[in-house]
Amino acid sequence: MASFAPSPADVADIGVTGMAVMGSNLARNFARNGFKVAIHNRSVAKTEKVIAEHGGDGEFYPSESMADFVASLQKPRVAIIMVKAGKPTDAVIDELAELMEEGDIIVDAGNALFADTRRREAALREKGLHFVGSGVSGGEEGALNGPSIMPGGTKESYDRLGPMFEKISAHVDGVPCCTHVGADGAGHFVKMVHNGIEYADMQVISEAYDLMSKALGMDAPAIGDVFGEWNKGDLESFLIEITAEVLHHTDVTTGKPFVDVILDRAAQKGTGAWTVQTALDLGVPVTGIAEATFARSTSGSTPQREAAREVLPAEAQTLEIADKDQFIDDLQKALYAAKLVSYSQGFDEIAAGAKEYGWDIDLGAMARIWRGGCIIRARFLNRITEAYERNASLPLLLADEYFTTEIAKCIPAWRRIVAFAAASGYPVPVFSSTLSYYDAVRSERLPAALVQAQRDYFGAHTYQRVDAEGTFHVEWSEDRRETKQD
């Protein structure tokens, strides 16, 4: 039996089911901001714990059963799901849908594949219910103190959700880090790409750390000092800030730098892979995000790494670094350039997704709501918003005058870092792949012409000419005459 009495009917402004850390923190955030919050968990003990430890945060209405939870919500009801993605989410959606009425709103605020969100939204729409897939970024602290929120769904549902979500979100310059992203799965799509950019950002920061450690022989605290300085300039961001803190942290057991006692295997929960898979489907090159995702896979490929260490030679050069300060300055510029490319690629994917699925996504607004609360918040996001305000149909973020000027300052340093790493045998997949993308996207002519010729040779896939309209094929196995295809 629960240690609380059943909640009265029609009393709560909003409800949260799923009282793990993220769900309970989000519920507490609503309560702290003056909303009456219904809370529920499959195992009642977690609900009891929230009331016991955080009941003073505001007005909570706990329920032991899902039926009581739904009954305690004011109409049109809003129930937020914060449970494990996949089948557990579907199970909770089905249970809520049986208890709710036309016009009520179910919100999935966890990470979910946008295609699942589109499927769920369509199914619930047929029942007269609104389903909102909402990205929430900022981790446990953000959920409690102000995240970046990316809700999709109908505009009607946002009329009900917007005032509450905007109030509990992070605010920058008085502007909430929340806006209606677009229909059905748009919110979860944008959150997916956000996480993909996060992958690239974290990896390229780690590559800069690795070069300072191995090439310069710097210890973790000294590298932390460098990141602390970088956080005062163009690279100012949440991830640079916490990198400095992590590198200054000492392991309490060994007294060694904390980073030096961590196993070098990084996991992924799926959003990076989703971003890359979706980009492939859309035909969008997100090379920085892809290489960051593969870098995590490489780090976890223990048998392959052990086999390689035993037999694969480096044949690397030992290059002298004559000026340590210049090398660090080069690293800073290369890091900035690689980050700009990764963000540009992410926004390309959002634009392509919006076109493919009919979403009216304001790209400038996406940068604006990422300025606070979220993991990839950074100083230059303001500049991204300004770029899309100047040209809402900007085909490439890097082609904006501001970013063209900024990246131009970095190119010589970027090339020096990638060349040094290649010659020295240091892996820098994001540094190098973003530079290669930069060179490809600015090239007047790419070797894809040869690829098309090869495809036509072995598969009759046809090609187009630079000097004539239409589609052509060469009869390679016959007299090699060229024929125009209908």
Side-chain angles (χ1 to χ4, degrees):
M1 180 114 182
S3 61
F4 48 79
S7 294
D10 281 327
V11 64
D13 299 308
I14 196 166
V16 181
T17 178
M19 288 292 104
V21 176
M22 283 292 290
S24 61
N25 279 5
L26 197 62
R28 292 172 60 198
N29 191 348
F30 280 112
R32 287 177 172 186
N33 279 280
F35 297 107
K36 301 173 183 178
V37 187
I39 60 173
H40 167 267
N41 195 78
R42 183 174 56 84
S43 58
V44 73
K46 287 189 176 181
T47 307
E48 291 174 328
K49 184 179 180 182
V50 173
I51 296 299
E53 296 180 0
H54 307 294
D57 280 355
E59 224 173 313
F60 292 106
Y61 293 90
S63 292
E64 183 173 3
S65 73
M66 188 67 85
D68 287 343
F69 170 72
V70 171
S72 70
L73 299 171
Q74 295 180 29
K75 298 177 183 179
R77 303 178 182 93
V78 177
I80 298 177
I81 300 172
M82 292 295 286
V83 301
K84 189 175 180 180
K87 291 182 179 179
T89 296
D90 280 320
V92 175
I93 290 171
D94 291 343
E95 189 176 5
L96 281 170
E98 290 300 315
L99 297 166
M100 290 183 135
E101 300 173 359
E102 186 173 346
D104 288 347
I105 303 167
I106 298 174
V107 181
D108 178 9
N111 280 333
L113 181 60
F114 76 96
D116 290 339
T117 303
R118 298 187 78 216
R119 167 180 57 80
R120 291 162 178 159
E121 193 275 338
L124 291 181
R125 193 187 330 129
E126 290 185 358
K127 297 182 178 182
L129 300 174
H130 294 281
F131 182 74
V132 174
S134 181
V136 177
S137 179
E140 299 172 10
E141 181 182 345
L144 181 62
N145 298 315
S148 173
I149 308 179
M150 297 153 257
T154 63
K155 291 181 178 179
E156 292 81 5
S157 64
Y158 193 76
D159 289 341
R160 174 84 166 89
L161 295 171
M164 292 186 287
F165 278 12
E166 290 178 14
K167 189 169 184 180
I168 71 156
S169 73
H171 285 65
V172 176
D173 300 328
V175 179
C177 294
C178 173
T179 191
H180 181 236
V181 175
D184 55 71
H188 275 151
F189 186 95
V190 166
K191 176 57 163 54
M192 174 192 74
V193 176
H194 165 283
N195 284 22
I197 296 171
E198 180 184 309
Y199 272 53
D201 211 342
M202 294 171 69
Q203 174 63 28
V204 77
I205 287 170
S206 297
E207 291 171 18
Y209 150 78
D210 199 41
L211 287 175
M212 280 186 272
S213 174
K214 293 175 180 175
L216 296 177
M218 297 169 63
D219 62 18
I223 300 172
D225 289 342
V226 172
F227 278 102
E229 284 301 311
W230 286 355
N231 199 47
K232 298 175 183 177
D234 291 331
L235 287 174
E236 180 188 351
S237 65
F238 173 72
L239 284 172
I240 296 289
E241 176 188 343
I242 68 168
T243 298
E245 290 192 25
V246 166
L247 292 171
H248 283 123
H249 183 59
T250 300
D251 177 53
V252 294
T253 302
T254 64
K256 297 178 180 179
F258 178 63
V259 71
D260 292 342
V261 302
I262 299 175
L263 195 64
D264 63 335
R265 297 178 200 161
Q268 60 152 320
K269 292 185 177 180
T271 46
W274 290 347
T275 307
V276 176
Q277 290 162 353
T278 303
L280 288 170
D281 291 338
L282 294 170
V284 179
V286 291
T287 59
I289 297 168
E291 288 297 341
T293 306
F294 292 139
R296 294 196 187 188
S297 299
T298 301
S299 75
S301 299
T302 305
Q304 291 81 4
R305 292 177 65 194
E306 289 176 351
R309 279 195 295 268
E310 293 177 2
V311 299
L312 296 184
E315 298 295 339
Q317 301 177 35
T318 301
L319 301 178
E320 180 183 355
I321 299 174
D323 188 334
K324 175 181 174 181
D325 291 339
Q326 180 62 55
F327 186 84
I328 291 174
D329 185 65
D330 280 357
L331 267 179
Q332 179 184 20
K333 290 183 172 66
L335 178 56
Y336 186 40
K339 283 163 69 80
L340 291 179
V341 169
S342 297
Y343 279 73
S344 180
Q345 291 177 343
F347 276 90
D348 281 349
E349 183 166 358
I350 294 173
K355 182 178 180 180
E356 175 70 17
Y357 299 108
W359 298 323
D360 183 18
I361 298 179
D362 182 339
L363 297 178
M366 297 307 98
R368 185 169 60 249
I369 66 172
W370 288 348
R371 294 183 304 162
C374 75
I375 303 301
I376 65 170
R377 58 186 184 265
R379 175 188 289 192
F380 62 75
L381 283 164
N382 275 326
R383 298 295 191 173
I384 296 177
T385 297
E386 291 168 2
Y388 286 113
E389 286 175 347
R390 283 190 288 272
N391 181 2
S393 57
L394 184 67
L396 177 73
L397 180 61
L398 294 176
D400 174 76
E401 182 180 357
Y402 174 81
F403 289 106
T404 300
T405 302
E406 286 296 287
I407 208 163
K409 300 174 187 175
C410 304
I411 294 169
W414 196 7
R415 295 195 188 284
R416 285 194 293 268
I417 290 297
V418 171
F420 173 88
S424 304
Y426 299 128
V428 287
V430 175
F431 273 135
S432 57
S433 66
T434 51
L435 178 58
S436 183
Y437 166 84
Y438 176 84
D439 283 332
V441 79
R442 68 174 186 81
S443 294
E444 184 175 345
R445 185 168 172 82
L446 293 168
L450 180 57
V451 173
Q452 287 298 81
Q454 292 167 334
R455 293 177 72 245
D456 188 61
Y457 188 107
F458 65 70
H461 292 294
T462 72
Y463 57 90
Q464 294 173 314
R465 298 179 58 93
V466 299
D467 56 0
E469 295 293 326
T471 301
F472 299 86
H473 168 61
V474 169
E475 300 294 342
W476 295 100
S477 60
E478 298 178 11
D479 58 2
R480 300 201 173 185
R481 70 185 185 279
E482 182 180 72
T483 59
K484 189 171 184 179
Q485 308 298 296
D486 293 331

